[in-house]
């Protein structure tokens, strides 16, 4: 048995309590419902071709020699496939055209980077994938893979190359912010009620109604900072009630970028209790300068050209990474690889090149540690180092 078996119908621990409540399931339903007939006709066309089953007949034949599997690409899919074949003792070869492995996992390191120097250890940045949710049905196998790889590295006295997860910090309350010729920077924790010189009173182009401190009940805020809450609210609420139904609601706007949604769909009236008549008519859409402000402060100039669906799912992603093993823990958990995500594919490459690599028992133990299967006492928990 492979240390990472693919068993789509197997029962496993339900981390989110609603296994069907996932992006993968909802997107699959969406594809089948909207494009199922097209896919089915394509599959039937290929099946009808002459000798279409020849390859399957060959590899399933008892007379066939032991195969040498070729894997095109040393991205994570290729490395993952290689590790599975290694655990099954099947010969394989990975072909990668570049000088590195990892594909979309790619860390840039400064020429001055030095992991042992505290003043230079942070001189790197993630060009590709930078984080995963710690508690997720889809992402737990990634942690299992890391634990399995670590078991092999330790067994081969390669502790210095072992993989170490750490908390991912999206931002910091002591991050310094400085906009629009401000005389000195302020801390992020002090920015919620600061207009950052975007208002017309400081030479900016945002009407003061948007950036003037307002109080509603016990809450104080700048109205402009409440827009995204109201944009996300109906979709996040629907997804939390039923991911499949919420996803269908969201996909109605699949043709919109975030910028297009803000300036062509969302209305001032959608602000609800945060609406002020001085902003304009309730039926009016957000003006250009308001959308620009939101893009600049939240993601960076040019980033709102991406899919509206992607932005909403990213917001849900952060809110959804809760500790499912402790219902009272409301913290959000995202993790990243210490010293850069590039260490992950590099460690996989190291293991693949070892004479004795992954064993089935490595993966079995890793599954127990992260709660994918019961341990020796029959209980399930989350206990990786």
């Amino acid at each position: 048995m492979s240390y990472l078996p693919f068993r789509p119908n197997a029962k496993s621990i339900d981390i989110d309590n609603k296994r069907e409540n996932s992006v993968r399931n909802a997107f699959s339903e969406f594809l089948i419902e909207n494009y199922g007939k097209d896919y089915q006709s394509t599959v039937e066309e290929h099946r009808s071709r002459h000798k279409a089953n020849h390859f399957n007949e060959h590899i399933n034949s008892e007379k066939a020699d032991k195969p040498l599997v070729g894997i095109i690409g040393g991205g994570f899919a290729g490395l993952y496939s290689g590790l599975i074949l290694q655990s099954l003792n099947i010969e394989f070869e990975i072909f990668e055209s570049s000088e590195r492995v990892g594909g979309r996992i790619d860390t840039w390191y400064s020429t001055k980077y030095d992991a042992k120097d505290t003043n230079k250890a942070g001189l790197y940045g993630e060009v590709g994938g930078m984080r995963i949710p710690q508690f997720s049905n889809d992402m737990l196998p990634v942690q299992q893979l890391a634990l399995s790889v670590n078991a092999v590295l330790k067994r081969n006295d390669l502790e210095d190359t072992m993989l170490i997860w750490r908390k991912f910090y999206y931002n910091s309350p002591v991050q310094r912010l400085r906009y629009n010729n401000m005389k000195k920077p302020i801390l992020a924790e002090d920015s919620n009620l600061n207009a950052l010189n975007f208002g017309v009173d400081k030479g900016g182009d945002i009407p003061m109604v948007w950036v003037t401190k307002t109080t509603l009940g016990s809450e104080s805020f700048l109205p402009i900072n409440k827009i995204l809450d109201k944009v996300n609210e109906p979709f996040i609420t629907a997804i939390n009630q039923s991911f499949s139904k919420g996803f269908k609601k969201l996909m109605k706007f699949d043709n919109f970028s975030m910028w297009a949604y803000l300036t062509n769909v969302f209305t001032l009236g959608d602000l609800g209790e945060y609406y002020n008549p001085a902003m304009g008519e309730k039926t009016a859409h957000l003006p250009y300068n308001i959308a620009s402000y939101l893009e600049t402060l939240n993601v960076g100039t040019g980033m709102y050209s991406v899919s509206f669906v992607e932005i909403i799912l990213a917001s849900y992603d952060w809110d959804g990474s809760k500790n499912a093993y402790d219902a009272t823990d409301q913290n959000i958990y995202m993790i990243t690889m210490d010293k850069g995500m590039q260490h992950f594919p590099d460690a996989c490459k190291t293991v693949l090149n070892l004479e004795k690599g992954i064993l089935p028992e490595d993966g079995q133990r890793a599954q127990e540690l992260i709660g994918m299967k019961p341990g020796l006492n029959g209980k399930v928990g989350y206990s990786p180092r």
Side-chain angles (χ1 to χ4, degrees):
M1 176 180 288
S2 167
Y3 84 106
L4 287 174
F6 176 63
R7 302 189 313 165
N9 297 318
K11 293 183 178 180
S12 61
I13 178 173
D14 196 344
I15 302 301
D16 298 317
N17 296 324
K18 293 183 178 179
R19 188 165 179 81
E20 71 280 2
N21 215 24
S22 69
V23 174
R24 180 180 299 171
N25 187 74
F27 189 57
S28 297
E29 289 182 356
F30 174 83
L31 289 177
I32 293 172
E33 182 177 328
N34 291 275
Y35 303 102
K37 291 183 178 179
D38 294 337
Y39 291 151
Q40 184 176 357
S41 62
T42 300
V43 170
E44 290 176 351
E45 179 182 350
H46 281 284
R47 283 178 174 171
S48 64
R49 294 170 58 198
H50 180 57
K51 294 185 177 180
N53 295 321
H54 177 73
F55 182 71
N56 285 334
E57 290 174 357
H58 173 72
I59 64 174
N60 291 328
S61 172
E62 295 180 0
K63 297 180 181 180
D65 295 331
K66 188 175 182 179
L68 171 64
V69 180
I71 299 174
I72 308 300
F76 233 101
L79 297 171
Y80 191 91
S81 301
L83 289 166
I84 292 175
L85 294 172
Q86 185 183 65
S87 74
L88 294 170
N89 198 30
I90 295 176
E91 292 187 56
F92 63 92
E93 191 76 33
I94 296 179
F95 299 90
E96 170 58 49
S97 62
S98 70
E99 297 180 355
R100 52 172 293 276
V101 294
R104 294 179 66 184
I105 302 296
D106 185 5
T107 306
W108 168 86
Y109 294 93
S110 167
T111 55
K112 297 181 180 180
Y113 170 76
D114 185 350
K116 297 180 180 179
D117 185 337
T118 55
N119 293 317
K120 298 179 180 179
L123 297 180
Y124 69 88
E126 302 296 354
V127 182
M130 62 184 71
R131 64 184 183 270
I132 67 169
Q134 184 172 357
F135 303 103
S136 163
N137 277 321
D138 292 337
M139 290 294 106
L140 284 180
V142 179
Q143 296 184 52
Q144 182 210 2
L145 175 59
L147 289 168
S148 303
V149 167
N150 277 346
V152 180
L153 295 173
K154 185 175 182 179
R155 191 162 58 237
N156 286 272
D157 298 322
L158 295 170
E159 285 91 343
D160 58 330
T161 62
M162 289 176 63
L163 302 169
I164 302 173
W165 293 109
R166 65 171 174 81
K167 184 177 180 181
F168 177 86
Y169 294 92
Y170 187 74
N171 52 32
S172 166
V174 295
Q175 180 181 210
R176 292 181 298 173
L177 304 177
R178 189 177 185 180
Y179 291 89
N180 304 322
N181 298 316
M182 292 168 61
K183 291 183 178 180
K184 60 181 181 179
I186 63 171
L187 299 181
E189 60 187 355
D190 300 323
S191 65
N192 288 337
L193 298 177
N194 193 310
L196 306 175
N197 287 0
F198 277 92
V200 293
D201 66 332
K202 299 293 184 181
D205 62 354
I206 304 294
M208 294 308 298
V209 65
W210 290 102
V211 291
T212 299
K213 177 182 176 181
T214 305
T215 301
L216 186 63
S218 60
E219 181 183 23
S220 295
F221 56 90
L222 300 186
I224 199 168
N225 292 334
K226 290 297 180 180
I227 295 174
L228 293 183
D229 290 343
K230 286 299 185 179
V231 170
N232 296 340
E233 187 178 83
F235 300 101
I236 300 299
T237 299
I239 288 174
N240 283 332
Q241 292 174 349
S242 168
F243 201 104
S244 293
K245 293 181 180 179
F247 189 77
K248 289 181 180 179
K249 178 184 179 76
L250 184 58
M251 289 300 287
K252 292 179 181 178
F253 303 97
D254 188 36
N255 292 329
F256 287 82
S257 65
M258 183 64 174
W259 187 278
Y261 184 89
L262 291 176
T263 57
N264 292 276
V265 179
F266 189 81
T267 66
L268 300 183
D270 292 329
L271 286 169
E273 67 272 26
Y274 301 121
Y275 169 73
N276 185 324
M279 299 173 179
E281 297 292 333
K282 283 189 174 183
T283 56
H285 299 296
L286 292 174
Y288 170 90
N289 54 349
I290 301 298
S292 179
Y293 169 95
L294 296 174
E295 180 186 52
T296 301
L297 264 67
N298 287 279
V299 291
T301 302
M303 292 299 292
Y304 273 180
S305 61
V306 303
S307 164
F308 173 71
V309 171
E310 183 179 348
I311 292 286
I312 297 298
L313 288 179
S315 300
Y316 174 80
D317 183 25
W318 278 101
D319 189 53
S321 185
K322 300 289 182 66
N323 183 356
Y325 298 94
D326 182 2
T328 64
D329 186 356
Q330 293 303 306
N331 291 313
I332 294 174
Y333 291 90
M334 288 283 180
I335 55 178
T336 189
M337 193 60 64
D338 190 40
K339 301 177 184 177
M341 288 291 283
Q342 184 64 47
H343 280 265
F344 204 161
D346 287 348
C348 292
K349 177 183 176 181
T350 298
V351 170
L352 288 170
N353 285 325
L354 292 173
E355 185 176 347
K356 294 184 178 180
I358 290 284
L359 299 174
E361 50 264 35
D362 297 325
Q364 299 297 327
R365 176 59 178 155
Q367 287 187 9
E368 295 174 5
L369 287 173
I370 58 176
M372 293 179 71
K373 61 179 296 184
L376 295 177
N377 59 4
K379 296 183 178 180
V380 174
Y382 185 89
S383 57
R385 286 172 293 183

